[in-house]
Amino acid sequence: MRRQILKTATIIVHDLVATALAVLLTFVIRFDGPLLAERLAHLPVLLPPFVACAGLVYRAFGLYRTKWRFASLPDLANIVRAVAVLTLLLLVLDYVLVSPVAFGIYFFGKIAIGLYFVLQVFLLGGPRLAFRYLKYSRSRQSAARAASTPTLLIGRGHDIEVVLRAIESGAVRKLDPKGILSPRAEEQGQTMRGVPVLGAVSDLDAVVAGLAARGVPIRRLVATPSALAPEAEPEALIAKARRLGLPLARVTSLGDAGRGAELAPIEIEDLLLRPTVAIDRPRLEHFLTGQRVVVTGGGGSIGSEICARAVAFGASAVLVLESSEPALHGVLSRPGLSGQEGVSGVIADIRDRDRMIRVLKDFRPDYVFHAAALKQVPYLERDWSEGIKTNVFGSVNVADATLAAGAKALVMISTDKAIEPVSQLGVTKRFAEMYAQALDAGRGPTETRLVAVRFGNVLGSVGSVVPVFKAQIARGGPVTLTHPDMVRYFMTVREAADLVLTAASHADREARAPGAGDQRAAVYVLKMGQPVRIRDLAERMIRLAGFEPGEDIDVVVTGARPGERLNEILFARDEPMVNLEGIDGVMAAKPVFADRAQLAAWLDRLAAAVAANDRAAADGVFGEAIPDFLHRAGHAGEAAPLSRAG
């Protein structure tokens, strides 16, 4: 901290000295003899207030917020704007206030003021650009000394430049870029930051062979997002890389959240999705900055990502609540959370009502994200009572504890399987939604809000079909499907977490405002694009792995499992839709809920059914509470209608 203060003070002193020097040089260059002597005599009176004013102008234009080693055209533009303001100030002083009244002559004059503008821009911008070039040269030399892997970069120019900057700054190490392959014809034959564009992506074989003939054997390929977009035919790139025996890495970040480019091994699931929804970062930063957040099930796929995103968007304290000690340790050791001030964890089971109320009261959260649940359909069909204990009574405990703690909002993570449910997962989640909606009904603008967010399958999460298919492909097959016509929605963990936070921000802002009317939503659904046919997904994954479905690896249909259905549904037929203006990626509906007294009676009957291990009684309760529940999931093969979003 002290070092940063010292650096900022040095920059301020430099700029003020440069301002004084610019004025002095202006007079020395423009005037001589008695005219120069007369003006130099008055400088001790006029220069200090002008320099002080210049310091305020520089601060207003952000000249002290950027490090010199990253000085760029926008920084130079800010310098020009700041100097233009000072130049205009000199014109006003010289022609309106100072010269006619005090001296009877113009102290500067138009030519001198124009000269001042040029000198001031040079004295402020020149050292910054020179410092950046010095750092650039040293980093290039350092990167050249440290580089050990001759690499080809693949993608469009603007993406490639970010990667090259990261290599030069040392953020990406051990790469020695020998060439670029670009899909744009206009970039062929050019150079980017000293690295030549050697051809198109289709020229990979020839470029690698040509470099090898010149004694430059390529050892690695790095693909930017533009090279892995569907229109770029990434399957062909992966096949060529595999045939050449070259490892292919992808750029996972192009400066997101202030970070530089980051590299990771390419994964099949990186190529399976549509472009993700653009997130309104300022909205989420405004929503979470300085807030206290609890995430139940914080060690899971979604929960851990919500924790990480809450920290990234400025939450002052994040409590990870988890019943699994290994999962809690794993998430608290995760980069971005490990060592972060305000991030803590607690072992607690949402089934333990007293423990939940005590933990939340002690922490005093602003927002509670309830991600803890049992989610695997086949297990819940067998161990149905465990699903009720966790997904129903655990959610009741979390909701009641949230109210007792006085939080601003509870956001319950639900599932698209909760609508017209055919499984224990779906019906228990739907019942939990109904409980939250009943508690939310009639609450005032300043009281705790309780909402639910539904979404489908998350790529890479535990139990997701994609890791299962990957493992089957790695073993040489077969890849197993439960039904050839089954379709599902998919999204990434990051996208799901960001859209959950976006929905929560709406629930706590627009939906609670006085007179919100149609904006008061209780159920949010994440837009997941068009559903994906699972057979098509399996066949594409096989091709991405370099094989041909049906020839190299078989696709086998095993039959639908208990609790499965062909299509997922996002909204119930009787849920009135809400228009969320200005929020992309999220849809919403008004609540459809039961009377609280009726819910309490159903809960008592569910508790009795669990105690007696009477599944028929439990299904009877769910059948009354959720009339479209298809008992014991005997309808997996029936095609439910697609949602209105599909």
Side-chain angles (χ1 to χ4, degrees):
M1 185 66 179
R2 293 180 60 185
R3 184 178 181 184
Q4 181 60 41
I5 293 174
L6 180 61
K7 287 183 177 180
T8 302
T10 303
I11 294 173
I12 293 173
V13 170
H14 166 272
D15 290 353
L16 297 183
V17 171
T19 303
L21 184 60
V23 174
L24 181 61
L25 288 176
T26 297
F27 288 150
V28 171
I29 295 173
R30 176 70 180 90
F31 304 105
D32 55 18
L35 294 177
L36 175 61
E38 181 181 9
R39 284 160 175 79
L40 293 178
H42 290 93
L43 273 186
V45 176
L46 297 178
L47 194 57
F50 179 73
V51 170
C53 179
L56 297 176
V57 172
Y58 298 153
R59 180 179 179 182
F61 281 90
L63 267 60
Y64 307 136
R65 292 197 295 265
T66 304
K67 293 183 177 181
W68 281 25
R69 67 177 299 177
F70 301 122
S72 60
L73 288 177
D75 300 309
L76 184 59
N78 283 336
I79 290 174
V80 172
R81 294 187 189 102
V83 175
V85 170
L86 293 176
T87 302
L88 183 62
L89 178 63
L90 284 180
L91 279 171
V92 172
L93 291 174
D94 201 30
Y95 280 78
V96 178
L97 301 177
V98 176
S99 298
V101 176
F103 303 105
I105 62 170
Y106 293 116
F107 195 72
F108 279 86
K110 291 181 288 185
I111 296 177
I113 290 176
L115 180 60
Y116 162 78
F117 177 86
V118 174
L119 290 172
Q120 188 69 81
V121 169
F122 175 78
L123 291 175
L124 292 177
R128 284 170 164 82
L129 296 179
F131 184 84
R132 173 178 172 171
Y133 182 77
L134 177 63
K135 286 289 186 180
Y136 166 76
S137 299
R138 292 175 61 181
S139 64
R140 283 291 297 268
Q141 294 171 3
S142 177
R145 288 193 298 269
S148 58
T149 309
T151 303
L152 278 180
L153 306 179
I154 305 172
R156 294 179 180 175
H158 61 278
D159 288 354
I160 294 294
E161 185 180 15
V162 175
V163 179
L164 290 173
R165 287 178 181 273
I167 294 172
E168 293 167 2
S169 68
V172 174
R173 302 177 183 275
K174 302 298 182 182
L175 294 185
D176 184 9
K178 296 299 184 181
I180 298 167
L181 299 180
S182 172
R184 291 184 170 178
E186 62 270 21
E187 293 175 350
Q188 309 298 319
Q190 297 182 351
T191 61
M192 299 180 189
R193 306 187 73 81
V195 181
V197 180
L198 300 176
V201 180
S202 58
D203 301 323
L204 177 60
D205 292 349
V207 169
V208 170
L211 289 172
R214 299 202 300 267
V216 184
I218 296 298
R219 301 298 184 197
R220 191 177 187 187
L221 305 176
V222 173
T224 65
S226 58
L228 300 176
E231 60 272 16
E233 299 181 351
E235 293 93 336
L237 173 61
I238 293 173
K240 288 184 178 182
R242 185 176 290 107
R243 185 172 62 252
L244 292 169
L246 296 175
L248 177 61
R250 65 187 177 96
V251 180
T252 62
S253 169
L254 287 173
D256 176 50
R259 300 174 300 177
E262 299 174 359
L263 304 184
I266 197 162
E267 300 288 350
I268 292 176
E269 55 260 47
D270 299 322
L271 310 177
L272 298 177
L273 286 174
R274 75 217 181 280
T276 57
V277 175
I279 297 301
D280 186 349
R281 296 188 58 83
R283 178 188 182 91
L284 296 186
E285 289 171 353
H286 182 265
F287 169 57
L288 283 173
T289 296
Q291 302 300 308
R292 300 175 64 82
V293 173
V294 169
V295 183
T296 72
S301 305
I302 295 296
S304 61
E305 188 64 27
I306 291 175
C307 293
R309 300 307 278 164
V311 170
F313 289 125
S316 61
V318 174
L319 178 65
V320 185
L321 193 150
E322 180 57 66
S323 63
S324 166
E325 183 186 29
L328 179 63
H329 176 73
V331 68
L332 293 179
S333 303
R334 167 178 172 161
L337 292 176
S338 176
Q340 288 289 331
E341 184 178 356
V343 177
S344 58
V346 61
I347 297 176
D349 192 332
I350 61 173
R351 297 182 181 187
D352 187 338
R353 182 178 180 84
D354 293 338
R355 172 80 166 143
M356 286 302 304
I357 291 175
R358 185 167 60 253
V359 167
L360 265 63
K361 273 189 174 180
D362 290 345
F363 186 74
R364 295 174 289 104
D366 295 297
Y367 301 103
V368 177
F369 293 90
H370 176 38
L374 297 178
K375 303 168 186 172
Q376 300 305 315
V377 170
Y379 300 149
L380 290 184
E381 291 305 306
R382 183 190 64 197
D383 302 321
W384 60 274
S385 61
E386 297 303 304
I388 293 175
K389 292 176 186 177
T390 297
N391 295 353
V392 175
F393 290 105
S395 297
V396 167
N397 294 339
V398 173
D400 292 346
T402 300
L403 292 177
K408 296 178 182 177
L410 164 71
V411 181
M412 184 178 295
I413 308 301
S414 189
T415 172
D416 51 8
K417 296 175 176 60
I419 301 306
E420 298 183 13
V422 299
S423 64
Q424 286 295 308
L425 170 61
V427 77
T428 54
K429 281 291 193 177
R430 180 71 184 119
F431 197 96
E433 285 185 11
M434 292 169 58
Y435 186 80
Q437 291 171 12
L439 294 183
D440 186 66
R443 305 192 70 81
T446 61
E447 295 182 280
T448 303
R449 294 231 51 212
L450 298 95
V451 300
V453 177
R454 298 178 191 141
F455 53 87
N457 295 272
V458 175
L459 287 176
S461 64
V462 176
S464 171
V465 68
V466 173
V468 173
F469 284 174
K470 286 176 62 178
Q472 292 175 338
I473 293 169
R475 292 195 300 265
V479 172
T480 58
L481 308 176
T482 58
H483 196 287
D485 297 322
M486 189 169 289
V487 296
R488 290 291 183 267
Y489 295 95
F490 288 95
M491 64 196 323
T492 65
V493 175
R494 169 68 59 84
E495 186 180 20
D498 282 345
L499 291 178
V500 166
L501 296 177
T502 300
S505 72
H506 180 273
D508 189 49
R509 187 189 300 180
E510 291 91 345
R512 75 156 69 242
D518 290 341
Q519 285 282 308
R520 185 175 177 87
V523 177
Y524 294 83
V525 176
L526 307 186
K527 293 180 182 177
M528 293 168 281
Q530 295 297 320
V532 177
R533 187 167 175 260
I534 300 300
R535 187 180 188 96
D536 295 340
L537 175 71
E539 291 177 351
R540 188 176 184 207
M541 289 185 64
I542 292 171
R543 292 190 179 97
L544 286 171
F547 305 104
E548 189 62 31
E551 296 180 9
D552 303 312
I553 293 181
D554 292 329
V555 178
V556 177
V557 177
T558 60
R561 299 174 298 180
E564 285 187 330
R565 61 185 176 195
L566 299 187
N567 304 292
E568 298 298 357
I569 309 167
L570 302 183
F571 288 107
R573 292 186 178 92
D574 56 352
E575 283 183 320
M577 300 287 289
V578 174
N579 180 31
L580 304 186
E581 296 182 2
I583 299 181
D584 192 18
V586 181
M587 303 173 288
K590 296 179 183 179
V592 177
F593 49 82
D595 178 79
R596 293 187 190 180
Q598 180 64 72
L599 275 169
W602 284 332
L603 285 170
D604 289 341
R605 289 170 56 191
L606 277 178
V610 169
N613 196 33
D614 188 346
R615 181 167 186 175
D619 282 347
V621 174
F622 288 137
E624 291 180 29
I626 307 162
D628 54 10
F629 171 49
L630 304 179
H631 289 239
R632 303 300 298 270
H635 302 264
E638 296 182 3
L642 288 177
S643 73
R644 282 171 267 176

